[in-house]
Amino acid sequence: MMKYLLLFAIFYSSLFALQTSDRLFECTEIFKQRKSELLVELERIDEQKQALQALKTATEELLKQKEQKLAIKEEKLNRKEQELSLQEKRIKEMLEENKKLLAELKSTKMSKIAQTFAKMKAGSAAAVLSDMNAQEAAAILQSLKPKVVGKILTKMDPKKASELTLLLAK
């Protein structure tokens, strides 16, 4: 009986081994199939990686070009800014020069006017100044000697003389 039992165990174990062998063969087939799928997927990933690398390179190149254009524009703007600064400086200098010339002209003009009024008789000067704008008349009187101003003011209408005296006091 033992012999049968041993024979039965061997037969059963070989049958089990055969069944396990079939399973191993099936697993190997599944792994081979899955391996080919994984290779296809790996190839697809590699293509995407290459496409991404190409896109990255193109983007970097585009960025470099834009930076170069920006640098050129900045350089142009800096040059324009320098030119404008120089022009602004020149204009300021010209304005200062013009102000000086204008002041000289006014001074010369006022001096001539003052000389004219100084040579006029007090009554005539008072009549002319009375008809003028008070500000202008005060400016003319300011350029005259105090003795002449006194003579002119005494010949004027007291109201106008008072107004001009107030302006001269300022």
Side-chain angles (χ1 to χ4, degrees), residues 60-71:
E60 287 173 352
E61 185 63 31
L62 185 63
L63 184 62
K64 283 180 187 177
Q65 289 175 358
K66 288 194 177 215
E67 285 176 351
Q68 287 174 346
K69 286 179 182 178
L70 182 62

Side-chain angles (χ1 to χ4, degrees), residues 5-166:
L5 196 53
L6 188 59
L7 195 56
F8 180 71
I10 291 174
F11 177 72
Y12 185 71
S13 67
S14 68
L15 206 103
F16 184 71
L18 244 177
Q19 198 176 24
T20 306
S21 170
D22 281 345
R23 274 191 182 162
L24 285 175
F25 181 73
E26 283 178 16
C27 284
T28 305
E29 286 299 313
I30 290 172
F31 286 140
K32 283 182 184 178
Q33 213 175 22
R34 186 68 181 138
K35 181 180 177 183
S36 66
E37 289 174 10
L38 289 174
L39 286 173
V40 168
E41 185 67 22
L42 189 62
E43 192 175 307
R44 188 182 66 77
I45 289 173
D46 189 46
E47 287 173 2
Q48 287 179 346
K49 183 180 176 184
Q50 289 175 359
L52 185 63
Q53 185 64 33
L55 181 63
K56 180 182 174 186
T57 305
T59 304
E60 287 173 352
E61 185 63 31
L62 185 63
L63 184 62
K64 283 180 187 177
Q65 289 175 358
K66 288 194 177 215
E67 285 176 351
Q68 287 174 346
K69 286 179 182 178
L70 182 62
I72 290 169
K73 286 183 179 181
E74 282 180 3
E75 186 178 321
K76 285 180 182 179
L77 282 174
N78 287 338
R79 275 187 270 146
K80 283 284 187 190
E81 185 179 13
Q82 287 174 349
E83 288 174 12
L84 286 174
S85 294
L86 284 173
Q87 284 181 349
E88 184 179 6
K89 185 179 176 183
R90 284 188 211 126
I91 289 171
K92 283 182 180 178
E93 288 172 356
M94 288 172 64
L95 278 173
E96 286 300 316
E97 189 177 324
N98 285 345
K99 283 180 183 178
K100 287 178 185 176
L101 288 173
L102 188 60
E104 279 182 39
L105 282 174
K106 277 187 175 182
S107 174
T108 304
K109 184 179 173 185
M110 198 54 80
S111 175
K112 286 185 178 184
I113 291 172
Q115 287 173 5
T116 303
F117 274 90
K119 291 178 183 175
M120 289 173 76
K121 292 183 180 178
S124 300
V128 173
L129 290 172
S130 292
D131 290 338
M132 290 179 71
N133 177 327
Q135 295 287 339
E136 293 171 356
I140 292 170
L141 287 173
Q142 236 173 358
S143 62
L144 296 173
K145 293 180 183 175
K147 187 177 181 183
V148 176
V149 172
K151 287 181 182 177
I152 293 173
L153 287 175
T154 56
K155 299 288 183 175
M156 276 187 177
D157 173 51
K159 198 173 193 180
K160 184 71 171 185
S162 172
E163 182 182 354
L164 290 175
T165 304
L166 287 174

